Amino acid sequence: MFHLRSLILGSCAAALMAGAVAAKSDITVAMQLEPPHLDPTSAAAGAIDSVLYSNVFEGLTRFMGDGSVVPGLAESWEISEDGLTYTFKLHSGVTFHDGTTMDAEDVKFSLDRINADDSVNAQKALFSAISEVNVVDPTTVEIKLSEPNGNLLFNLAWGDAVIVAPESIDNIKQLPIGTGAFKFTSWTQGDNIMIEKNPNYWGTPAALDMATFKFISDPTAAFASMMAEDVDVFVAFPAPENLPQFEADPRFQVLVGSTEGETILAMNNKQAPFDNVKVREAVAHAINRQAIIDGAMFGYGTPIGTHFAPHNPAYVDETALSAFDPEKAKALLAEAGFTDGFETTLDLPPPSYARRGGEIIAAQLADVGITAKINNVEWAQWLETVFKGKNFGLTIVSHTEPMDIGVYANPDYYFQYDNPDFQTLIAKLNKTTDPEMRTQMLGQAQKVIAEDYVNAYLFQLAAITVAKAGVKGLWSNAPTQAIDLTAVTWAD
Amino acid sequence: MVRYMLKRLASLCISLAVASLVIFTVIEIAPGDPASFMLGINAQPETLAALRTELGLDASKVERYLSWVGGLLTGDFGISYTYRTPVAGMIAARMWVSLPLAFYALLLSTLIAFPAGVFAAARRGKVGDMGVMGATQLGVAVPNFWFAMMLVLVFSINLRWFAAGGFVGWDKGFWAGVHALTLPAIALALPQAAILARVMRSSLLDVLGEDYMRTARAKGLTTRQTLWRHGLRNALIPVLTIIGLQFSFLLAGSIIIEQVFYLPGLGRLVFQAISARDLIVVESVVMLLVFSVIIVNFLVDLAYAAVDPRLRSRA
């Protein structure tokens, strides 16, 4: 009798549990930073895109997990011979989450808003070539450019260019209304944001019914939340030292991919002694990249020799140009007249790649006679003094914007590299739309900055995601800071 | 008594005015522009200017100080630079986590400290006393964030009794909220309990040495009776002072514990606001904490006066 009862109870419990597992259609995703507000078109904060990009908001084009750009709300487009007119054909029958239709008027509204005088779009510069946006018919939009722009389709995929509606723009910061496969449900500030499946989605519907984003900034808390299984996925996991534990545990999977973050030791090219290319070359040779990757990033990261993402097909490996060679570094310093080395400052923003990496770099520089005084700064302070004030010697920062080699053509950019030939090259590149030509020119650009030793190029930041073993369809790379849940499912 | 109160009230107002000026100056002096933080490194100068105008940052510092203080006086804390919602609402929402957490921790710390302190005082110099004193020594020495991590390791990761952090919200029910706050409250409470138990013990021992205690014994009361009837009540005054101080500390000092347990409380709000240069939020929250400390002190002053008539006449 006793056996029978426990048998029945046991099978009931098993049946209940099996039911619960099969019905799992929600997911809890953790990330470090909370979005300040929910408008991807008026802030640079990556956390906004993490939650909303592709899930809630969509643009004319979109990034896929492998970094490619594919049609989004536009199903196709035509580019005129002179490269000055783009005609986009929109999907028909697309509605916003509030039920209003998405048509060419909304596209015009969204793009005009980026270029308006009082625009607060963080990437306004990417779209400055757009001179006019015309509505041809409800599903056709014509974009006119003042000069050809080979990057337009790529730039339109950014979260800063998603399509928003005039009807809902006033409350977008608290109540985002997009066209995506998920709609916004709620935001408990400081704790979580919830989104739910959009039943009226125009494309392939999401497999999940519900998703919760949680914000856990402390690395130890991040580890505990995964281990306690409070969260299902942790994107950009902040405690790489704990990864072996997750890899060894069958309950979890660890996804390691690439980001668009070129981590560099930036040098102030206009300030002595870094205005001397020999000194910059010496710094580049003084640095042992692998030691930094191992010591600061626990082995996660790909060495780079120029300002370009290694996973990009146009990448050229220039690491040999700045191979670790302290003797050569000392010789170069002597040639430049710094036999006894010199003193400089090293400003370090908060991320661990900078703080931990900075300690190692300072030690490596000391070995060749360069004394780098470490100065830990908060981001706001870094933006003010280093980025805007250009008041620095050395600094470590990861440039997470995709395809941003063009910043080297701006002599006012914080590291102040001023090479007219390079500026001409980038100006030509921007006007080139032929893919093969572009690849060739991008290769040339990478070579020029590597040979000029503008900065010391360290490594490409790795994208590290820890997830429950059953989660499928997550991006392992991070071509943009998005946590695209539209294709995520639970394995049975 | 009225004159005493007025005097206290005047000094309270002066303290608040000075505090507001110091807070504003210190926070505004630190480098970092909220607009460039919001828009990142690709922002165009005209975009930054547009955002600064939108945020009201292009007004002079004096104007901004006056409008901030004016707002505070009328209960309007302004609009957050980053979140773009009224600061008062944000603070109120966070208070629903931080205040209950502080009360919960205070309750736990008192519940632990009272019996421990009385027990140790009653067994002065014996094994029980030494045990309690050793434990409190440890409680004072152990940092609460480390203790918090140990709690998570044992009760969340291994035993799975509690979530490792986060707050479900009071709308999920009173007990669900209490459950979510239990580990953080214990982590906050233990070091405070250790301090409180030591104060309780020494204060009780001081009282036990008083002449009137001997008199009480002499008139025939047992040790236990003298302890409970005469000792405890008189030993309570310094203990209550410490509790008052601890409450302010628990409210303001839970920043680290809120990080460890990722609770959406006041401490975490300040933490986020500082790194985002959300100056108006930082200023308002710090001002509120200063206000609460000053008010608690004011109430304590009044309580002293009520208890001790000598203070009234001296004023």
Side-chain angles (χ1 to χ4, degrees), chain A residues 44 123 190 215 217 230 380, chain B residues 38 42 83 160 164 259 268 277:
Chain A
Q123 309 297 341
F215 314 110
S217 54
D230 291 348
Chain B
M38 286 294 288
N42 283 5
Y83 285 97
R160 301 285 188 89
Q259 284 294 113
R268 193 139 182 247
R277 296 290 295 158

Side-chain angles (χ1 to χ4, degrees), chain A residues 34 36-37 44 119-123 125 173-174 189-191 215-217 221 224-225 229-230 251 380 384 387, chain B residues 31-33 36-42 44 47 82-85 94 152 160 163-164 167 259-260 262 268 272 277:
Chain A
E34 179 175 23
H37 58 69
S119 155
V120 290
N121 194 295
Q123 309 297 341
K173 289 192 170 74
Q174 312 304 329
Q189 280 186 353
D191 195 56
F215 314 110
I216 304 174
S217 54
S225 68
E229 299 187 35
D230 291 348
R251 291 180 295 159
E384 190 82 6
F387 191 78
Chain B
D33 168 30
S36 27
F37 185 85
M38 286 294 288
L39 293 177
I41 59 176
N42 283 5
Q44 301 295 98
T47 324
T82 44
Y83 285 97
R84 306 294 175 84
T85 49
R94 303 303 179 98
V152 169
R160 301 285 188 89
F167 186 66
Q259 284 294 113
V260 173
Y262 47 101
R268 193 139 182 247
Q272 284 177 332
R277 296 290 295 158

Side-chain angles (χ1 to χ4, degrees), chain A residues 398-417:
Chain A
S398 197
H399 284 252
T400 51
E401 291 72 23
M403 286 289 281
D404 54 353
I405 195 169
V407 297
Y408 286 75
N410 174 5
D412 282 333
Y413 206 62
Y414 74 105
F415 44 72
Q416 306 187 85
Y417 172 58

Side-chain angles (χ1 to χ4, degrees), chain A residues 69-387:
Chain A
V69 173
V70 300
L73 288 174
E75 57 178 23
S76 63
W77 51 80
E78 271 167 38
I79 307 171
S80 67
E81 275 301 299
D82 58 3
L84 290 176
T85 309
Y86 284 65
T87 312
F88 288 92
K89 186 84 191 139
L90 306 178
H91 281 283
S92 52
V94 180
T95 54
F96 283 101
H97 299 144
D98 60 358
T100 57
T101 51
M102 192 290 301
D103 59 23
E105 290 291 346
D106 297 302
V107 175
K108 179 176 164 56
F109 170 77
S110 303
L111 297 180
D112 283 349
R113 190 165 160 264
I114 297 175
N115 278 322
D117 285 341
D118 59 351
S119 155
V120 290
N121 194 295
Q123 309 297 341
K124 192 177 178 185
L126 295 181
F127 307 98
S128 57
I130 296 177
S131 58
E132 231 182 286
V133 182
N134 298 318
V135 174
V136 178
D137 65 56
T139 58
T140 313
V141 185
E142 185 187 72
I143 297 179
K144 284 203 181 289
L145 304 182
S146 53
E147 54 178 4
N149 186 328
N151 262 337
L152 186 71
L153 294 172
F154 185 88
N155 293 346
L156 285 171
W158 282 56
D160 304 82
V162 294
I163 302 306
V164 293
E167 295 90 343
S168 52
I169 200 71
D170 289 342
N171 296 323
I172 185 172
K173 289 192 170 74
Q174 312 304 329
L175 181 62
I177 298 207
T179 54
F182 290 95
K183 55 184 182 179
F184 171 77
T185 312
S186 67
W187 182 11
T188 308
Q189 280 186 353
D191 195 56
N192 71 70
I193 291 177
M194 289 164 100
I195 58 175
E196 64 186 274
K197 183 178 183 163
N198 169 14
N200 304 318
Y201 186 53
W202 59 272
T204 316
L208 297 168
D209 289 331
M210 194 89 199
T212 307
F213 292 89
K214 277 191 155 287
F215 314 110
I216 304 174
S217 54
D218 185 71
T220 316
F223 171 73
S225 68
M226 275 314 295
M227 272 294 167
E229 299 187 35
D230 291 348
V231 300
D232 301 314
V233 178
F234 207 115
V235 176
F237 189 73
E241 58 272 31
N242 294 128
L243 288 174
Q245 234 170 311
F246 288 109
E247 274 164 349
D249 193 328
R251 291 180 295 159
F252 302 108
Q253 55 177 328
V254 175
L255 306 174
V256 179
S258 185
T259 69
E260 293 296 326
E262 291 86 21
T263 311
I264 64 171
L265 172 67
M267 298 185 249
N268 194 339
N269 280 235
K270 282 253 166 77
Q271 186 186 305
F274 301 110
D275 52 350
N276 185 339
V277 66
K278 286 218 160 57
V279 172
R280 299 202 301 266
E281 190 180 348
V283 169
H285 284 297
I287 283 163
N288 182 350
R289 296 188 182 92
Q290 200 56 49
I292 299 164
I293 294 173
D294 291 343
M297 309 308 291
F298 297 87
Y300 296 94
T302 315
I304 51 169
T306 182
H307 198 107
F308 216 73
H311 56 81
N312 192 301
Y315 174 72
V316 184
D317 187 356
E318 300 282 4
T319 46
L321 265 179
S322 47
F324 176 52
D325 188 349
E327 288 314 313
K328 188 169 181 187
K330 279 184 208 162
L332 282 162
L333 281 178
E335 260 182 72
F338 293 100
T339 326
D340 301 326
F342 59 87
E343 242 183 66
T344 186
T345 56
L346 176 57
D347 285 336
L348 303 177
S352 61
Y353 65 73
R355 293 276 165 92
R356 287 174 177 166
E359 301 280 345
I360 300 170
I361 284 178
Q364 291 175 352
L365 290 176
D367 286 344
V368 301
I370 302 172
T371 312
K373 229 180 106 237
I374 286 179
N375 184 18
N376 288 338
V377 293
E378 291 302 309
W379 271 125
Q381 197 187 344
W382 185 88
L383 284 167
E384 190 82 6
T385 55
V386 177
F387 191 78

